[in-house]
Amino acid sequence: MDLVPALEEPLNQPLKSVLGPATAKVMAEHLGLRTVGDLLHHYPRRYEERGQLTHLADLPMDEHVTVVAQVADARLHSFASSRAPRGKGQRLEVTITDGSGRLQLVFFGNGVHKPHKDLLPGTRAMFAGKVSVFNHRLQLAHPAYELLRGDGEEAVETWAGSLIPLYPATAKLESWKIGKAVQTVLPAAQEALDPLPPALREGRGLLPLPEALLKIHRPATKADIADARARLKWDEAFVLQVALARRRYADAQLPAVARRPRADGLLTAFDDRLPFTLTEGQQKVSREIFADLATEHPMHRLLQGEVGSGKTLVALRAMLAVVDAGGQAALLAPTEVLAQQHHRSITEMMGDLAEGGMLGGTEHATKVVLLTGSMGAAARRKALLDLATGEAGVVIGTHALIEDKVQFHDLGLVVVDEQHRFGVEQRDALRGKGKQPPHLLVMTATPIPRTVAMTVFGDLETSVLDQLPAGRSPIASHVVPAADKPHFLSRAWERVREEVDNGHQAYVVCPRIGDDIEEAADPKKAAKKKSAEDEAEKRPPLAVLDVADHLAKGPLQGLRVEVLHGRMHPDDKDAVMRRFAAGDTDVLVATTVIEVGVNVPNATAMVIMDADRFGVSQLHQLRGRVGRGSAPGLCLLVTEMEASAARQRLNAVAATLDGFELSRIDLEQRREGDVLGQAQSGARSSLRVLEVIEDEEVIGEARSEAMALVTANPDLDHLPGLRTALDALLDEEREQYLEKG
C-alpha cells in the first residue's frame, strides 16, 4: 500500500537475503518493510547535526559538541543507589584530552560495558554529546563515539560535519541499526526506476530518483535534504494523482443517459413555488450539476457545503431534473433518523408535487417514497412496487435500498449524503442498479480543505457551497470550564431555561448512551482508554440517560426533557424527533445521532457535555443544528479539562464559525491519518514525506500534470517506472477502492 515504486531487481530483493532472517523478520513485523525498495523508501524523520569540531578549552555549556581527543585514563566505579542498593551500580569515568584541555566522559549502568572495552588509555576517537556540569567540572554523559584508527584526518572531517539520519524506529530496532541496514542496501538505489516522466522532472528541476534516495539517507548538507524531499514529495503526489486521473478518465468512457429537465416540467413547477430566491452559490453549483447531468457519461461530483448552506435543496433540484427526464433518483442516508428527516423535509418542500398518482397531486407531480429496514411488510411491499414500476420518481432510504430485491424502473441519479459514513461497496451496489451507470452526487457537510479533497476525493469533481442562505442567524460559542468554574455550568443551565422561557428549544449532547450495554459487551474495550488525556480523566464520558435524569430532577426541573440515541427503536426515535420538531419537547438530550440532517429552526441553544471528547469537525457539525431560524444560536462547550491540546481545540471552535478554517486546524492537530483513513483505506501509510495541508501547491501542480499526461497517454506507454509505481500503489484493496470510489 506504499507509493514506493515496486522496482525491479535488485530493489525487489527480499531483505532477508541481504540483511539476514532475524533483522528482516523484525523489519517486516514492526515496520512493514519487506524488500530492499521498501527500506530505501523508509525515510529519516529528522537529522541530528554533530557540532563542528570544538577544542576542549572552548567548550560551550548545554550545547551539542563534537570533539576529537585521546583517552588519558578510564576508571570503573561501583556505587550503591536505589536501583542497585548493594553497591552493584556501575559508573565508568573516562578522561580525554586534546592538548588544549581535559574533559570527563561518564557512562552508567549497562551502558558501561562497551566503552570500558573500547576506550582504553591512548585510544583516539571522536566524541559527540551535550556539555553539562557535574561537581563544578564539565562532562559529557553517555556521548556517542567513533574510534579513529590510523591518522584518520579524513574520517574526522567526514564524521564531524555529517548530518546523522534518525529513522522512525521501534523498541525492537533502534534508529542506528536501521541506518546501518540502509547503508547496506544504499548502492541498490542506483537501480531505482524513476516514476516521473523525464520532461516533467527536468522541467521542474527535480533530482533523479537514485540521487534523491542517496541524499535523503546520506545528506552532506541541509540543502541536500531539501532537494531530496522536494523530489520525493513529487513522487507521492504525482503517482496518486495519476491513479485518480486514470479513474476519472475511465469513468468518462462509461456510457450514461443524459438527463435534461423539461422546460415546463416538475423542476420549473417546483422553482416557481420556492418562497425565496436561490443564493448565488446555489445557482452556480446547480449549473455545474445540470451540465454534468446533460452529458452521456456518469457525473461524479462531490458537493461540499457548510451546515445549513442549502445542500439538500440543490440535491433535490438535481433529483427533480432527472425525474423530469424520465428517470428515477435515489437519496441514500446513513441513518434511519436522517432518512426519515429527509423524506419529511423533501415532501414538505414539494407539497402536492410529491403526490404523483394520488388524489390532489398536480399534473407534474411524482411520488416520493421512503424505504428503510424497519418498515412494516405491507408498506415495504408497496414501496418496492412503486420503485419497480417507476411510479416513484424519488426514493429516500438507508442501506435497505441496496438489497438485492430492490429493483428500479430506471435509476438515473444517486445522491449519497455524508459520504464518509458509507462503504464504497454500498455506493457501488446502488450504482449497479441502473440499466447504465447512474449519475452520482456525493454530499458532505464536513468542510474538507482543498488539498484533502484533491487527495481523498480526487476522482470526484468538487463543488463548494460556502454562502449561508439569507435568514440564517449567527451562533455564539463559548467554552464552559466546569472544573475551574462550576458556577459557569450553573449559568449554562440558566441560559437553557431562558431560551425555553422565550419560546425556544435546546439540545444537550453527550458522548455516551449510558445503558452500559457497550461496556458490558466488551469490558476490555471499556477499560481501554483512548489517550493520555482520557487517562488523566478518571471518570467515564457523560451519558445521555444519566444527564437527562439529572437535568429533569435538578437544573431543568419542570421542563419537558426527552432522550434520543442510536439504540432506540426507529419508530421511537422518529416519534421523539417529531415531538421535538413540533415544539412538544423543550430539551432533547441526545448522542451525536443529531449530528447531521436534523432540522429544527426553533432550537436555539446547544450544550455539549465533555466537549473535549469530540473532534473539531464534529463539534462544528453539531453546532450547526442551532441558529437555523431567525433567532440567534448559542453553543456552550462544557469541559472539565484544564489547559491541554483538547482545551485548545475547544477554544478554536469557539473562536470561528468558518468550517474550512476549523477543518485545517483539525487536520493539523490530528495529522492526516484520520482524515485520509476515513475515506481511503490505509492511505496514510503511503504518504511518507507529503504533507496534505502544507504541500497544497505540489498536490495542485501534480494534479494538473497528471491530468494532462493521462489525457494525452491513458495507457502510459513508454513510462515503465510510472506503471510500476502505480502497480505498487494500487494493490488489490486500493484498486477496489478506486474502482468503486
Side-chain angles (χ1 to χ4, degrees):
M1 203 168 291
D2 296 337
L3 288 186
V4 306
L7 303 154
E8 293 169 5
E9 291 292 351
L11 274 76
N12 270 344
Q13 210 175 337
L15 283 173
K16 65 181 173 196
S17 64
V18 186
L19 303 176
T23 306
K25 186 171 184 236
V26 176
M27 285 200 167
E29 285 177 5
H30 294 275
L31 296 168
L33 308 176
R34 290 177 174 79
T35 66
V36 169
D38 290 345
L39 181 53
L40 284 175
H41 287 271
H42 185 72
Y43 308 133
R45 59 188 164 84
R46 63 187 180 87
Y47 301 83
E48 196 173 88
E49 290 182 74
R50 297 209 197 272
Q52 288 307 304
L53 286 180
T54 312
H55 290 300
L56 294 187
D58 309 325
L59 288 177
M61 273 298 299
D62 284 334
E63 280 189 26
H64 282 278
V65 297
T66 302
V67 297
V68 172
Q70 194 163 344
V71 177
D73 67 43
R75 296 171 190 222
L76 193 59
H77 302 276
S78 296
F79 62 92
S81 71
S82 56
R83 286 189 179 177
R86 297 188 181 171
K88 298 234 174 119
Q90 289 193 308
R91 180 175 77 248
L92 176 67
E93 290 178 1
V94 177
T95 306
I96 58 172
T97 176
D98 67 351
S100 74
R102 294 167 80 83
L103 177 66
Q104 184 165 296
L105 317 178
V106 61
F107 302 85
F108 292 100
N110 294 334
V112 303
H113 305 307
K114 189 170 186 311
H116 192 218
K117 270 196 315 203
D118 290 343
L119 301 178
L120 303 171
T123 305
R124 196 156 175 271
M126 284 179 287
F127 304 90
K130 190 174 180 182
V131 182
S132 58
V133 172
F134 181 72
N135 277 348
H136 310 295
R137 289 170 64 195
L138 294 182
Q139 71 168 26
L140 298 182
H142 282 281
Y145 62 86
E146 185 94 344
L147 301 181
L148 296 173
R149 296 177 175 87
D151 81 351
E153 279 314 312
E154 198 176 312
V156 171
E157 287 310 310
T158 319
W159 197 81
S162 70
L163 292 154
I164 304 155
L166 295 179
Y167 289 89
T170 74
K172 302 268 182 195
L173 204 64
E174 301 96 330
S175 169
W176 66 268
K177 285 187 183 164
I178 297 170
K180 282 201 164 165
V182 169
Q183 194 68 39
T184 306
V185 301
L186 205 50
Q190 294 301 338
E191 311 297 323
L193 274 180
D194 202 321
L196 295 189
L200 187 159
R201 183 172 58 70
E202 288 157 17
R204 293 185 173 274
L206 297 168
L207 298 179
L209 182 57
E211 192 181 334
L213 290 172
L214 287 171
K215 285 188 169 174
I216 196 112
H217 291 295
R218 289 290 168 269
T221 62
K222 288 184 179 174
D224 282 354
I225 300 170
D227 291 347
R229 287 178 66 86
R231 160 62 215 242
L232 296 166
K233 281 181 181 196
W234 255 93
D235 281 18
E236 292 183 3
F238 183 70
V239 174
L240 183 54
Q241 291 302 334
V242 168
L244 294 165
R246 291 183 89 194
R247 173 76 251 134
R248 287 194 301 276
Y249 181 83
D251 285 339
Q253 312 311 306
L254 290 173
V257 178
R259 311 280 180 173
R260 297 181 183 87
R262 295 203 307 276
D264 57 349
L266 178 58
L267 178 62
T268 307
F270 175 75
D271 283 349
D272 288 346
R273 294 163 176 230
L274 281 177
F276 49 81
T277 52
L278 298 178
T279 64
E280 274 177 46
Q282 286 172 321
Q283 289 176 29
K284 174 176 167 285
V285 169
S286 290
R287 284 195 296 273
E288 292 170 350
I289 292 170
F290 289 159
D292 284 357
L293 290 174
T295 60
E296 293 185 347
H297 57 82
M299 165 171 78
H300 288 93
R301 189 166 283 278
L302 173 69
L303 172 55
Q304 291 189 63
E306 280 281 19
V307 171
S309 59
K311 290 184 305 299
T312 310
L313 177 60
V314 168
L316 176 56
R317 293 184 72 245
M319 292 162 84
L320 298 182
V322 168
V323 175
D324 257 353
Q328 292 170 291
L331 171 58
L332 196 54
T335 64
E336 294 213 353
V337 166
L338 193 49
Q340 288 159 344
Q341 173 87 27
H342 274 313
H343 182 253
R344 202 158 44 239
S345 63
I346 283 173
T347 47
E348 280 168 13
M349 278 198 271
M350 288 177 66
D352 55 9
L353 293 174
E355 295 170 2
M358 296 184 238
L359 209 59
T362 68
E363 68 164 310
H364 297 303
T366 186
K367 195 179 262 190
V368 179
V369 168
L370 177 68
L371 186 65
T372 63
S374 63
M375 286 170 74
R380 187 176 174 76
R381 263 199 309 276
K382 179 80 178 78
L384 289 172
L385 185 65
D386 286 342
L387 288 187
T389 60
E391 184 85 11
V394 174
V395 58
I396 295 151
T398 55
H399 56 273
L401 284 176
I402 296 164
E403 293 169 12
D404 289 343
K405 60 181 73 155
V406 179
Q407 298 296 324
F408 289 84
H409 177 64
D410 179 15
L411 181 60
L413 171 66
V414 174
V415 179
V416 179
D417 194 11
E418 288 306 314
Q419 187 272 348
H420 61 275
R421 292 164 181 254
F422 272 107
V424 286
E425 293 79 10
Q426 294 166 308
R427 260 162 56 192
D428 194 50
L430 190 53
R431 285 208 316 220
K433 290 184 175 293
K435 291 176 181 145
Q436 287 193 328
H439 299 281
L440 175 70
L441 180 65
V442 169
M443 297 197 295
T444 178
T446 306
I448 303 164
R450 178 171 164 266
T451 45
V452 179
M454 286 193 293
T455 310
V456 177
F457 301 106
D459 55 334
L460 301 175
E461 298 300 326
T462 304
S463 295
V464 178
L465 275 175
D466 47 13
Q467 274 175 295
L468 289 188
R472 283 303 300 262
S473 302
I475 304 169
S477 305
H478 304 284
V479 177
V480 177
D484 355 343
K485 298 180 178 165
H487 59 286
F488 275 35
L489 184 58
S490 308
R491 176 70 187 121
W493 301 128
E494 284 171 22
R495 283 291 289 113
V496 169
R497 214 177 248 289
E498 286 164 15
E499 290 298 311
V500 173
D501 289 345
N502 288 330
H504 298 303
Q505 293 158 277
Y507 297 99
V508 176
V509 181
C510 305
R512 211 172 105 238
I513 296 172
D515 51 12
D516 291 335
I517 290 176
E518 62 254 82
E519 288 87 346
D522 190 350
K524 279 188 190 160
K525 202 169 175 183
K528 201 172 181 182
K529 297 291 185 206
K530 296 282 190 298
S531 67
E533 286 170 354
D534 280 0
E535 203 62 65
E537 186 68 90
K538 291 290 181 274
R539 62 166 178 75
L542 289 170
V544 166
L545 301 177
D546 304 338
V547 169
D549 187 54
H550 163 72
L551 292 176
K553 291 174 179 168
L556 303 183
Q557 193 171 5
L559 301 187
R560 297 166 297 176
V561 177
E562 287 211 59
V563 300
L564 179 71
H565 58 75
R567 217 177 279 129
M568 291 164 65
H569 186 279
D571 290 348
D572 296 339
K573 282 193 279 199
D574 195 41
V576 169
M577 272 317 303
R578 280 178 185 280
R579 285 196 292 276
F580 190 63
D584 298 335
T585 303
D586 298 319
V587 179
L588 187 62
V589 184
T591 56
T592 55
V593 72
I594 61 151
E595 180 184 348
V596 286
V598 175
N599 183 23
V600 180
N602 192 45
T604 53
M606 176 176 285
V607 181
I608 302 178
M609 308 302 292
D610 281 342
D612 45 89
R613 294 175 188 253
F614 298 94
V616 169
S617 294
Q618 196 172 29
L619 291 169
H620 182 60
Q621 287 274 84
L622 287 165
R623 170 171 64 183
R625 300 295 117 215
V626 296
R628 299 177 78 85
S630 52
L634 172 69
C635 179
L636 301 174
L637 306 166
V638 180
T639 177
E640 292 193 1
M641 295 295 279
E642 291 170 14
S644 65
R647 188 70 177 266
Q648 286 171 352
R649 280 204 305 271
L650 298 186
N651 292 337
V653 173
T656 179
L657 291 172
D658 181 339
F660 285 91
E661 174 59 26
L662 287 174
S663 71
R664 289 184 79 96
I665 293 168
D666 200 14
L667 195 54
E668 281 159 5
Q669 288 191 338
R670 295 186 311 169
R671 306 222 16 96
E672 288 91 353
D674 297 357
V675 176
L676 294 181
Q678 279 177 4
Q680 192 164 328
S681 81
R684 179 61 193 153
S685 62
S686 64
L687 298 186
R688 306 291 181 77
V689 284
L690 193 69
E691 300 283 346
V692 172
I693 286 286
E694 286 176 21
D695 297 323
E696 183 164 351
E697 201 174 311
V698 174
I699 294 169
E701 290 177 9
R703 182 180 167 95
S704 303
E705 293 273 11
M707 284 167 74
L709 175 69
V710 170
T711 306
N713 181 5
D715 295 328
L716 308 180
D717 297 332
H718 316 305
L719 293 169
L722 179 54
R723 294 180 68 123
T724 310
L726 280 169
D727 291 342
L729 169 65
L730 302 179
D731 64 9
E732 205 172 319
E733 188 181 1
R734 254 357 213 311
E735 184 72 78
Q736 285 175 357
Y737 167 77
L738 290 169
E739 280 300 323
K740 295 175 180 177

